[in-house]
Amino acid sequence: MTFNEALKHKKNILKNSSEFTKTLYDYIIIPAIKEEGQKYMDEFRKSPSSFFDESCKTYSSDSQFKVFLFAKNSVQEVL
């Protein structure tokens, strides 16, 4: 999906999530290409506070993105 579609998807998920869920998990947008997404995640884990939604754009070569659930050192794709 495009960045704008991924951002909209993320916002909808957050809107429908409980406050408790938001304290346990974070949803992030990453590049759709596996290798680029992994590189982004590696950098994100080093300093999460220095990243924002649009940071992922510089890691994508095809402008396609996914929304991932990030929790306690694990990452899972959201449908």
Side-chain angles (χ1 to χ4, degrees), residues 30-73:
I30 68 167
I33 295 174
K34 185 177 180 177
E35 294 78 14
E36 294 173 351
Q38 186 61 53
K39 182 177 179 181
Y40 179 79
M41 287 303 305
D42 291 344
E43 294 299 316
F44 178 87
R45 286 184 175 129
K46 291 177 186 175
S47 181
S49 63
S50 65
F51 285 81
F52 51 95
D53 287 330
E54 293 202 15
S55 298
C56 64
K57 288 181 176 181
T58 61
Y59 290 79
S60 177
S61 64
D62 68 353
S63 298
Q64 294 296 304
F65 302 91
K66 295 180 180 182
V67 179
F68 272 68
L69 173 65
F70 184 78
K72 298 182 183 179
N73 297 326

Side-chain angles (χ1 to χ4, degrees), residues 13-27:
I13 292 168
L14 291 172
K15 182 175 112 178
N16 295 313
S17 295
S18 71
E19 290 304 315
F20 177 72
T21 300
K22 291 176 188 177
T23 64
L24 298 175
Y25 304 102
D26 191 17
Y27 294 91

